[in-house]
Amino acid sequence: MTLKDKRVLVVGGSSGIGFGAARAALADGAAVTIASRSQDRIDAALARLGAGAEGHVLDTTDEAGVEAFFAARPAFDHVVVSASKTKVAAVRELPLADAYGSMNSKFWGAYRIARAAKIAEGGSLTLVSGFLSQRPRKGAAIQSAINAAVEGLTRGLALEFAPVRVNCVSPGLVQTEMYDSLDDAARRTMYENAAARLPAGLVGTPDHIAVQIMAFITNPYITGSTVYVDGGGLIA
């Protein structure tokens, strides 16, 4: 199955995993739309993606804005949601406003997109969670809970939206702009230490995750599934 002439929307496509998915879909012949909160980031991403891609500002926490975005456009063949802005800390240290905001962004953001999106019959919706849903880490209970909620939502939507297929990719540590705030030495040390612990012997990249997203999009026999692309993090 090819994406030639298919319309693919990547919410969160201006950076990280979303950008990797957008680039992979574009390479397979799709007409790609990326959506992000920042026009500057959209412009920078479009310059890297080249012809065949367009971008629009979209805040997944803005219910009216999400509904208006989809109301103004024909159905997409495939929708990918990787957008999120979360804060992580121990439960008794994380302000409740930040916990609510994190859930609002990643879980309710995906929920709003799923609720409003027009997806063509035979199309797909792919969500992004994270392996902390299954492998909790001390001090990150909120992220574990959000990711588990996204995975549960995936299974329910796969039943509600059929024959549109709904799946979820759950990454481990991935080299993205999320870690750009670290200095080069600290970031390099973090990646090297993680790679030494992982059975795969390396840290993931957005392209590694995009391979699985493309499998979800192009394989008509996959729905209701969560696949952990984590370098073996679940068993390490």
Side-chain angles (χ1 to χ4, degrees):
M1 181 176 176
T2 177
L3 294 184
K4 181 174 174 55
D5 299 326
K6 300 294 185 181
R7 299 179 67 248
V8 176
L9 169 66
V10 184
V11 183
S14 65
S15 62
I17 290 169
F19 181 83
R23 181 167 55 191
L26 193 63
D28 201 43
V32 173
T33 300
I34 61 171
S36 171
R37 292 185 301 269
S38 166
Q39 185 65 58
D40 288 344
R41 294 179 72 173
I42 289 172
D43 292 342
L46 290 177
R48 295 169 62 195
L49 289 170
E54 63 178 28
H56 297 275
V57 173
L58 181 64
D59 182 351
T60 63
T61 67
D62 177 4
E63 180 179 346
V66 169
E67 292 182 354
F69 175 87
F70 287 104
R73 292 167 175 79
F76 290 93
D77 295 290
H78 304 282
V79 176
V80 178
V81 185
S82 67
S84 71
K85 184 177 181 181
T86 60
K87 294 185 178 180
V88 178
V91 168
R92 291 176 176 168
E93 298 172 4
L94 185 69
L96 280 173
D98 288 341
Y100 296 151
S102 297
M103 179 66 84
N104 188 30
S105 174
K106 187 164 185 176
F107 174 78
W108 287 111
Y111 191 101
R112 291 184 189 97
I113 296 294
R115 187 173 185 271
K118 294 184 290 188
I119 303 175
E121 185 172 346
S124 71
L125 170 65
T126 301
L127 307 182
V128 178
S129 60
F131 86 135
L132 290 181
S133 64
Q134 304 298 313
R135 184 77 182 267
R137 177 170 57 82
K138 184 177 180 180
I142 184 64
Q143 194 69 51
S144 296
I146 293 169
N147 291 342
V150 171
E151 292 172 14
L153 179 64
T154 296
R155 293 187 290 274
L157 291 179
L159 295 175
E160 286 194 24
F161 286 5
V164 169
R165 296 174 293 104
V166 185
N167 294 291
C168 181
V169 62
S170 185
L173 179 63
V174 179
Q175 300 178 50
T176 70
E177 295 89 339
M178 180 187 303
Y179 303 107
D180 284 354
S181 60
L182 300 175
D183 64 61
D184 289 346
R187 187 166 59 248
R188 184 170 56 253
T189 297
M190 179 183 71
Y191 289 151
E192 289 174 351
N193 290 342
R197 293 193 303 269
L198 290 171
L202 74 159
V203 172
T205 68
D207 289 340
H208 292 138
I209 312 306
V211 169
Q212 183 57 49
I213 292 173
M214 288 294 290
F216 284 149
I217 290 175
T218 58
N219 189 333
Y221 197 55
I222 305 177
T223 193
S225 293
T226 295
V227 173
Y228 300 93
V229 186
D230 58 10
L234 283 181
I235 59 174

